[in-house]
Amino acid sequence: MGKEDDLKLLVRSGTALIVIESHEENRVVDMFTRLLVPGPNESHLSGTLKPLYKWSATDGLVRLDLEVADFGAEHREPELVLDHIARNRDPSIYLLLDFHPYLSDPLNVRRIREIALEHHERPHTVAMISPALKLPPELLPHAARIELSMPSDDVLEKLVREEAFRWSRRHDGRRVKVNRKSLAMLVQNLKGLALEDARRLARNAIYNDGAITEVDLESVMVEKFKILNRGGILHYAYDLIEFDDIAGLGRLKRWLRERQQVFVDGAEEYGLDPPKGVLLLGVQGCGKSLAAKAVASGFGVPLLRLDFGNLYNKYHGETERNLRESLRSAEVMQPCVLWIDEIEKGLSTSDSDSGTSKRVLGTLLTWMAERKGRVFLVATANDIEALPPELVRKGRFDEIFFVDLPKPDVRERIFEIHLTKRKQDAERIDLTRLAELSEGFSGAEIEQSVVSALYSAMADATELSTERIAEAISATRPLSVVMAERIAHLRRWASERCVPADD
């Protein structure tokens, strides 16, 4: 059953109050207007057809199904239009546009409740249409919510062809350069967007150069993310890296590569459940964040980072709402990788925040258990003591990997990577000696020793040498020394509960 059928059923069944949260106001008004057109087996006495009114704070009350004189300023004030609805004895449909600011007035809430309670005498349907609308508790028992469905693949393909035809007419009949694969990928990238947003992005892709190319598809995904992330809690990560640019983590890399094809193609084709995600636990600075970026690059999908710092809101219920909307946006962007960095910092289960973090944890766990789409979750954590037991129990993630301090051969590779990255000749440097000297160093600490040595060499106007880097290493107190007890405890805990990320 489509959304228009759902809406018609709500109107016919005598629902007093309908709530529709949507930015597509015109589309919703059109849906109600089409209710006035009888179906093939319906008549004007079917009970669906009622006078249709639209109200806004700027235009006041306007009748849509007949060309009659507007009510004008007489019913522009919210309390006046509610009084009109309460007095009108002819069953009617009223569309109240952006009425949510006026629900802070207890008198307006009471008027609407009385309209709903007297529905048996005056069977009106009052529909509130706003981008965001939270009903007061007094109105919840009388209301039904309906969510607009997103445009189907067929509708999106038709939309793209319409825009291509318009471009062709403007350019002397030239055809838009596109093949079947590019068209299918563009339609896929437009999925989850409102119709007008999808049309705008399709138009931008075509009008750029009269063709649909891979560059256009990437631009569409970036713009789509901006539309979905109006709250600014998700971040689109651009600086992805390849697996080969990360030293070590051999077991994690193999595990991910084994699941890459299933994730990209869709698990249904292989009769498998889609890969859900991994938790990367380990010592700070050992490559957990780099691994998250490499997962998205290896899968060939966008990487979205969830910022717990922006998630929290002082108003009751808003934090959980922010999380739900962010997770919904990630699902619309699928296939994608969702990265939650230092997840333990946002999921403390103490009572110091009036239970907000507990509700956030519950919202996240429910989504992890119920999601069906291709959103691969990569969570990183440094502090095992702060991780809620509910999060690390078996089945939440496909696997929990422990990222330990790098071994000697991995440290050599890390030195080589950072020297090459800074345009230094790694062959002139004794990497084996540096790997021995940097026992207990994390990857981040090795990188800083290279950076420090480079600054020192530049100050002396000399070339970078093994000795210069060795001096930087000897001047560094690594985390494994400064926090030896905590790291030893972390290793003991992980040895029995996690899979080593490296071989």
Side-chain angles (χ1 to χ4, degrees), residues 80-278:
L80 295 180
V81 73
L82 294 179
D83 287 341
H84 165 82
I85 296 172
R87 291 195 308 269
N88 185 12
R89 294 191 172 275
D90 297 326
S92 305
I93 302 173
Y94 291 91
L95 311 182
L96 305 184
L97 309 183
D98 291 339
F99 201 83
H100 56 282
Y102 309 108
L103 293 177
S104 60
D105 186 338
L107 291 179
N108 289 338
V109 174
R110 180 60 197 177
R111 287 186 181 98
I112 296 172
R113 188 164 184 240
E114 288 175 352
I115 291 170
L117 290 171
E118 296 174 5
H119 186 266
H120 61 286
E121 296 181 7
R122 300 178 183 87
H124 300 309
T125 296
V126 177
M128 295 186 180
I129 305 164
S130 297
L133 199 159
K134 183 177 181 181
L135 283 183
E138 300 94 320
L139 301 181
L140 289 175
H142 310 288
R145 284 184 178 267
I146 184 169
E147 292 186 6
L148 296 189
S149 58
M150 291 295 105
S152 65
D153 289 5
D154 291 341
V155 170
L156 291 172
E157 183 171 335
K158 179 182 177 183
L159 177 151
V160 173
R161 293 186 182 278
E162 288 173 353
E163 292 304 319
F165 178 72
R166 288 193 180 98
W167 184 91
S168 180
R169 289 184 59 184
R170 292 187 179 187
H171 294 81
D172 302 324
R174 287 167 50 198
R175 295 176 64 86
V176 173
K177 296 178 182 178
V178 61
N179 55 46
R180 188 67 201 175
K181 181 180 178 182
S182 296
L183 176 61
M185 291 183 67
L186 177 59
V187 169
Q188 173 66 30
N189 288 359
L190 294 175
K191 288 179 69 172
L193 290 176
L195 201 60
E196 287 308 308
D197 288 332
R199 184 178 296 279
R200 176 168 56 83
L201 296 193
R203 186 182 301 131
N204 291 345
I206 293 169
Y207 279 58
N208 180 39
D209 54 5
I212 299 176
T213 64
E214 288 189 11
V215 175
D216 294 320
L217 298 175
E218 292 176 6
S219 299
V220 166
M221 287 299 286
V222 172
E223 291 302 315
K224 174 181 178 180
F225 173 76
K226 291 178 181 178
I227 292 170
L228 296 172
N229 190 43
R230 293 185 173 101
I233 296 167
L234 283 177
H235 300 275
Y236 194 104
Y238 298 93
D239 55 336
L240 303 184
I241 61 175
E242 302 294 332
F243 277 126
D244 293 339
D245 295 329
I246 303 177
L249 308 184
R251 183 169 301 165
L252 172 62
K253 292 176 182 177
R254 286 195 303 275
W255 188 94
L256 291 166
R257 286 181 176 128
E258 288 173 357
R259 286 153 180 80
Q260 174 185 359
Q261 199 67 37
V262 174
F263 181 78
V264 173
D265 293 345
E268 300 82 5
E269 184 175 338
Y270 300 90
L272 296 168
D273 294 329
K276 294 182 292 186
V278 293

Side-chain angles (χ1 to χ4, degrees), residues 332-352:
V332 173
M333 289 290 291
Q334 66 169 302
C336 66
V337 172
L338 179 62
W339 171 28
I340 306 180
D341 199 21
E342 297 186 350
I343 190 172
E344 72 275 22
K345 292 184 177 180
L347 296 179
S348 169
T349 53
S350 68
D351 294 324
S352 58

Side-chain angles (χ1 to χ4, degrees), residues 258-400:
E258 288 173 357
R259 286 153 180 80
Q260 174 185 359
Q261 199 67 37
V262 174
F263 181 78
V264 173
D265 293 345
E268 300 82 5
E269 184 175 338
Y270 300 90
L272 296 168
D273 294 329
K276 294 182 292 186
V278 293
L279 173 61
L280 303 180
L281 174 68
V283 182
Q284 281 184 308
C286 287
K288 299 186 296 296
S289 298
L290 292 177
K293 296 179 179 181
V295 172
S297 178
F299 284 178
V301 298
L303 174 64
L304 310 181
R305 181 171 65 85
L306 179 60
D307 187 350
F308 266 130
N310 289 336
L311 184 71
Y312 279 78
N313 189 295
K314 65 180 179 179
Y315 296 108
H316 182 79
E318 286 301 304
T319 299
E320 302 92 283
R321 178 190 177 94
N322 288 341
L323 178 58
R324 285 194 298 270
E325 290 182 351
S326 298
L327 296 174
R328 190 179 302 119
S329 295
E331 290 181 331
V332 173
M333 289 290 291
Q334 66 169 302
C336 66
V337 172
L338 179 62
W339 171 28
I340 306 180
D341 199 21
E342 297 186 350
I343 190 172
E344 72 275 22
K345 292 184 177 180
L347 296 179
S348 169
T349 53
S350 68
D351 294 324
S352 58
D353 59 359
S354 302
T356 299
S357 52
K358 289 184 178 180
R359 294 192 298 272
V360 167
L361 174 62
T363 300
L364 179 62
L365 294 180
T366 299
W367 175 80
M368 291 174 66
E370 296 179 354
R371 77 186 191 274
K372 303 296 182 183
R374 288 182 291 163
V375 179
F376 190 86
L377 179 61
V378 179
T380 65
N382 299 317
D383 186 2
I384 56 169
E385 303 294 343
L387 284 174
E390 305 96 314
L391 185 68
V392 296
R393 77 160 176 79
K394 200 68 176 175
R396 296 295 188 193
F397 294 91
D398 292 324
E399 197 59 84
I400 301 176

